[in-house]
Amino acid sequence: MNPSFFSSPSHQQQTPGLSGFSIRVAAPNDLTQLADILAMSFHSREGFVEWVYPVLRLGIYEDLKNRLRSKAEHYICLVAELVSREEATQNYRAHRDQRMAGTVEMALRYRFPWQIPSSDYPYLSNLAVHPDYRRQGVAQQLLSHCEETAREWGFSEIYLHVLENNHPARQLYYQAGYRLQQVDWNWTGWLFGQPRRLFLRKQISLS
C-alpha cells in the first residue's frame, strides 16, 4: 500500500513520552466528560451547529450511557487520564474530573451475521482526544490498549473507519500500522460530495 494514500504533507504526528497518562476502563461517572470530549472532537460549533450543539452533546451522552450499561461481553470503552508525578495519588484522584484526556471504544462487528460460525471482528470507534492533550501520545496509547484487549479476546486483526479527508487521523493510523482494506462507497456520498469512508485493518500478533 502506498504510504502517500494516508499521508498529509502538512501534518506530522508527534509522539513524546507516554508516562504522563494512564489508561483505564470508563465508568458511569465519566459520562459528562466523555460526552464533552466526543462532542468537541466530532462536531464544529460554528454557525447553525452552535445552536444545536447541546442537543448533539446530549445525544452522545445518552448513546454512550446505554452502551456502558449494556455490559456486553465484547465491548470496552477506555479513557486516558493525565497523571502528574508530583501529586500524591489521593490528591490526583480528588482532581480526576479535570484530567480526562481522551477515549476510545471497541466492540465486535459482524461481516455476515447469517454465517455459522459468524465472522466477527474487533472494531474501533469514537477515538477522541481533548484539544488540550493532542500531539502528546494519547491516541497512540489508547490504540495500543485496544490491541492488547483484542488479543485477550483471541483476535489477530483489528479494524476501523476513517474519513478520506481526515488527514491527521489517516496519518496517525498509518503510523500505528493500519492499512487500507477497502473504500466504502454509496450513492449519498457521491450525490452530495461527502468524503468517502476508508475501512482500515491492522494485523496484530497473538503472542
Side-chain angles (χ1 to χ4, degrees):
M1 179 59 57
N2 187 350
S4 64
F5 189 80
F6 288 83
S7 302
S8 169
S10 62
H11 173 78
Q12 293 183 346
Q13 186 70 30
Q14 299 176 2
T15 55
L18 303 178
S19 59
F21 300 96
S22 65
I23 307 297
R24 63 174 175 82
V25 176
N29 59 0
D30 298 322
L31 280 167
T32 298
Q33 290 184 84
L34 291 177
D36 287 336
I37 293 174
L38 290 167
M40 70 176 67
S41 297
F42 297 119
H43 298 288
S44 169
R45 300 191 67 168
E46 298 180 357
F48 172 75
V49 180
E50 174 69 24
W51 296 95
V52 299
Y53 186 83
V55 177
L56 295 172
R57 181 187 171 282
L58 177 61
I60 291 172
Y61 179 97
E62 292 296 330
D63 287 344
L64 183 55
K65 180 175 69 174
N66 290 333
R67 290 194 294 274
L68 290 179
R69 284 181 173 178
S70 70
K71 299 186 183 300
E73 180 181 2
H74 291 110
Y75 167 80
I76 190 170
C77 178
L78 299 175
V79 298
E81 290 181 316
L82 178 66
V83 176
S84 174
R85 296 177 180 176
E86 290 75 19
E87 294 182 39
T89 301
Q90 183 175 2
N91 188 39
Y92 156 67
R93 288 176 177 170
H95 294 82
R96 186 160 66 181
D97 287 347
Q98 304 171 2
R99 295 179 175 273
M100 194 167 292
T103 182
V104 67
E105 295 177 73
M106 183 171 68
L108 293 189
R109 284 197 174 185
Y110 302 89
R111 293 185 182 88
F112 307 107
W114 58 85
Q115 281 189 343
I116 300 176
S118 62
S119 54
D120 48 5
Y121 57 92
Y123 178 84
L124 297 184
S125 62
N126 292 334
L127 174 62
V129 177
H130 192 286
D132 292 344
Y133 300 112
R134 289 172 184 169
R135 293 177 177 267
Q136 297 182 43
V138 176
Q140 291 91 332
Q141 197 169 3
L142 288 166
L143 289 173
S144 177
H145 277 72
C146 284
E147 293 172 19
E148 292 177 9
T149 301
R151 290 189 191 97
E152 294 173 1
W153 291 352
F155 291 92
S156 60
E157 295 178 328
I158 194 166
Y159 295 81
L160 57 85
H161 276 101
V162 63
L163 291 179
E164 186 177 26
N165 63 346
N166 190 344
H167 297 292
R170 287 169 58 179
Q171 181 73 4
L172 165 70
Y173 295 135
Y174 182 81
Q175 291 183 343
Y178 288 83
R179 297 296 181 264
L180 181 66
Q181 178 76 6
Q182 68 182 42
V183 178
D184 291 354
W185 185 92
N186 58 65
W187 283 102
T188 304
W190 181 76
L191 289 173
F192 296 99
Q194 297 175 343
R196 298 180 299 179
R197 296 204 316 161
L198 310 180
F199 190 48
L200 310 185
R201 176 182 67 89
K202 180 177 181 179
Q203 188 79 29
I204 55 177
S205 171
L206 288 176
S207 59

